[in-house]
Amino acid sequence: MDKTLKMSLLFDFYGPLLTKRQQDIFEMYFHDDLSLGEISEQLDISRQAVYDMLKRSTQTLEDFEAKLGLVARHQQRQTTLEEITAQLSTLSEDLKIGGRQDLAQRVEELTAGVQELFSDS
Amino acid sequence: MDKTLKMSLLFDFYGPLLTKRQQDIFEMYFHDDLSLGEISEQLDISRQAVYDMLKRSTQTLEDFEAKLGLVARHQQRQTTLEEITAQLSTLSEDLKIGGRQDLAQRVEELTAGVQELFSDS
């Protein structure tokens, strides 16, 4: 996986476990795409301090993932969810072909419900 | 919620973040239902040490929940999942009544898939 995407996912799950300062710098670097130099200038701290803070933050996030595995589980689920969604979609189509628009409609509502159930996982 | 159930849920989600020693004592107390005295005897440490360790462990688990809210989200999802499962069940019944055993069968398989998707969250 792309490093920035990986970090972004780790941050989604474990970001609240970082200090406010760590969160800010993490977001400036990985989300706002600022360079170490730009962050250093903006916060008036050394480039080395920014680098150290980022290194510690990513290590912390990876340590939590090693213990809880929320990102890995999220990705497994995402795959299963896509399979289920595809099956629900086929079912809905088959119901329409069978002239059961009413039931097809209910399947589509259920699909939305299932997706919502997992949207924040 | 019952205190033991709450602790058990917190431990399911955040247990790996406790030390091995904390995990052991936590399980002896909340899972195996041993008393402070029994744990103290078994581990050959003071009753006070057991108490302190348990107190620190529960505090740690609650701190993680305050930041990540995995248990709260799990419970919200559980409710939504029950609604969706009930709707899928009704749909399956309606399909059977409509003579579509084949589609009802597919709905039941999907229900199992949705439940599995959720089972370890």
Side-chain angles (χ1 to χ4, degrees):
Chain A
M1 199 195 316
D2 165 56
K3 162 110 178 163
T4 303
L5 175 59
K6 189 187 164 201
M7 284 303 143
S8 170
L9 269 171
L10 286 172
F11 188 77
D12 283 349
F13 283 90
Y14 306 109
L17 301 175
L18 299 179
T19 66
K20 180 72 177 68
R21 182 73 155 181
Q22 285 177 322
Q23 289 180 40
D24 288 345
I25 293 178
F26 197 95
E27 289 202 298
M28 289 169 99
Y29 188 76
F30 286 105
H31 186 260
D32 304 335
D33 206 25
L34 298 185
S35 69
L36 295 182
E38 287 166 327
I39 299 170
S40 146
E41 219 167 282
Q42 238 178 58
L43 299 181
D44 198 20
I45 55 176
S46 73
R47 198 181 170 288
Q48 184 63 40
V50 175
Y51 176 82
D52 290 344
M53 190 89 82
L54 275 173
K55 201 173 157 69
R56 202 170 329 124
S57 301
T58 55
Q59 190 55 55
T60 300
L61 297 180
E62 279 167 354
D63 289 348
F64 279 112
E65 175 62 9
K67 286 186 176 160
L68 297 187
L70 297 176
V71 172
R73 201 164 65 191
H74 169 77
Q75 290 180 310
Q76 284 161 4
R77 268 196 194 143
Q78 205 59 44
T79 308
T80 312
L81 177 64
E82 278 159 24
E83 285 165 16
I84 288 175
T85 308
Q87 286 172 37
L88 283 166
S89 172
T90 313
L91 178 64
S92 168
E93 288 310 309
D94 290 350
L95 285 165
K96 281 180 192 160
I97 291 165
R100 295 302 306 260
Q101 280 288 346
D102 55 334
L103 296 183
Q105 176 66 27
R106 273 162 59 189
V107 169
E108 280 159 27
E109 284 163 17
L110 278 166
T111 306
V114 171
Q115 282 170 332
E116 199 195 309
L117 195 57
F118 290 97
S119 61
D120 60 346
S121 72
Chain B
M1 198 194 316
D2 165 57
K3 162 109 177 162
T4 303
L5 174 60
K6 190 187 162 199
M7 283 303 144
S8 170
L9 268 171
L10 286 172
F11 189 77
D12 284 349
F13 282 88
Y14 306 110
L17 300 175
L18 299 179
T19 66
K20 180 72 178 64
R21 182 74 155 181
Q22 285 177 322
Q23 289 180 41
D24 288 345
I25 293 179
F26 197 95
E27 288 201 299
M28 291 169 98
Y29 188 76
F30 286 106
H31 187 259
D32 305 335
D33 206 25
L34 299 184
S35 70
L36 295 183
E38 287 167 327
I39 299 171
S40 146
E41 218 167 283
Q42 234 176 44
L43 299 181
D44 197 21
I45 55 175
S46 72
R47 196 180 173 289
Q48 184 65 38
V50 176
Y51 176 82
D52 290 344
M53 191 88 83
L54 276 173
K55 202 173 155 71
R56 202 171 328 123
S57 300
T58 55
Q59 190 56 53
T60 300
L61 297 180
E62 278 168 352
D63 288 349
F64 278 113
E65 175 63 9
K67 284 185 178 162
L68 297 187
L70 297 176
V71 173
R73 201 166 66 191
H74 169 78
Q75 290 180 309
Q76 285 161 4
R77 271 196 192 143
Q78 201 61 45
T79 308
T80 312
L81 178 66
E82 279 160 22
E83 286 165 17
I84 288 175
T85 307
Q87 285 173 38
L88 283 166
S89 172
T90 312
L91 179 64
S92 168
E93 289 310 310
D94 289 351
L95 284 166
K96 281 179 193 159
I97 292 165
R100 295 305 304 262
Q101 280 287 350
D102 55 334
L103 296 185
Q105 175 66 27
R106 272 162 60 189
V107 169
E108 281 158 27
E109 284 163 17
L110 278 167
T111 306
V114 171
Q115 281 169 333
E116 197 195 310
L117 196 57
F118 189 76
S119 63
D120 60 347
S121 73

